[in-house]
């Protein structure tokens, strides 16, 4: 595996980790500060959150997870800027 393959692999791992941390963030928020919102939805109902939805959370655990998600988003953007979408074989699907 050459250097660029390793960078691509790192990017994919970063994306997977960001998804997992963001899911954990949502779960923590729905069990605490955002519990009222969680109660509005039926089991199996879908709602898409953005990381900015949690910008004003006061729970320190939500804030910590939000910080990590934002740092991962910045790292992804920098990898794309340094390597280009084509070199990461994303072709705009990031």
């Amino acid at each position: 595996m050459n250097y660029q393959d390793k960078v691509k692999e790192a990017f994919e791992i970063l994306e997977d980790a960001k998804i997992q941390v963001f899911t954990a963030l949502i779960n923590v928020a729905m069990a605490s500060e955002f519990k009222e919102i969680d109660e509005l939805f039926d089991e199996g109902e879908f709602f898409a959150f953005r990381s900015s939805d949690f910008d004003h959370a006061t729970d320190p655990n939500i804030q910590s997870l939000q910080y990590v998600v934002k740092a991962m988003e910045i790292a992804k953007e920098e990898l794309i800027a340094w390597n280009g979408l084509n070199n990461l074989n994303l072709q705009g699907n990031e």
Side-chain angles (χ1 to χ4, degrees), residues 1 4-19 76 79 87-90:
M1 202 179 260
Q4 195 58 45
D5 291 336
K6 292 288 187 183
V7 171
K8 179 184 175 210
E9 179 183 52
F11 184 88
E12 291 168 353
I13 290 169
L14 179 61
E15 175 60 16
D16 290 341
K18 185 186 80 99
I19 291 168
K76 279 182 52 186
L79 284 170
N87 288 333
L88 295 172
N89 292 328
L90 301 176

Side-chain angles (χ1 to χ4, degrees), residues 21 25 59-70:
V21 174
L25 164 65
D59 182 319
N61 294 306
I62 296 171
Q63 291 174 347
S64 293
L65 291 167
Q66 175 69 342
Y67 177 81
V68 172
V69 169
K70 285 184 177 187

Side-chain angles (χ1 to χ4, degrees), residues 3 8-9 32 37 58 63 80 83:
Y3 173 79
K8 179 184 175 210
E9 179 183 52
S32 63
I37 295 170
T58 58
Q63 291 174 347
I80 290 169
N83 296 282

Side-chain angles (χ1 to χ4, degrees), residues 22-72:
F22 189 62
T23 299
L25 164 65
I26 292 169
N27 291 336
V28 168
M30 292 299 128
S32 63
E33 193 169 331
F34 290 69
K35 190 171 189 153
E36 301 81 33
I37 295 170
D38 187 45
E39 292 170 353
L40 295 174
F41 296 98
D42 294 327
E43 185 72 29
E45 201 168 357
F46 179 77
F47 183 81
F49 286 98
R50 297 175 308 224
S51 60
S52 62
D53 292 332
F54 303 99
D55 284 348
H56 300 291
T58 58
D59 182 319
N61 294 306
I62 296 171
Q63 291 174 347
S64 293
L65 291 167
Q66 175 69 342
Y67 177 81
V68 172
V69 169
K70 285 184 177 187
M72 291 176 158

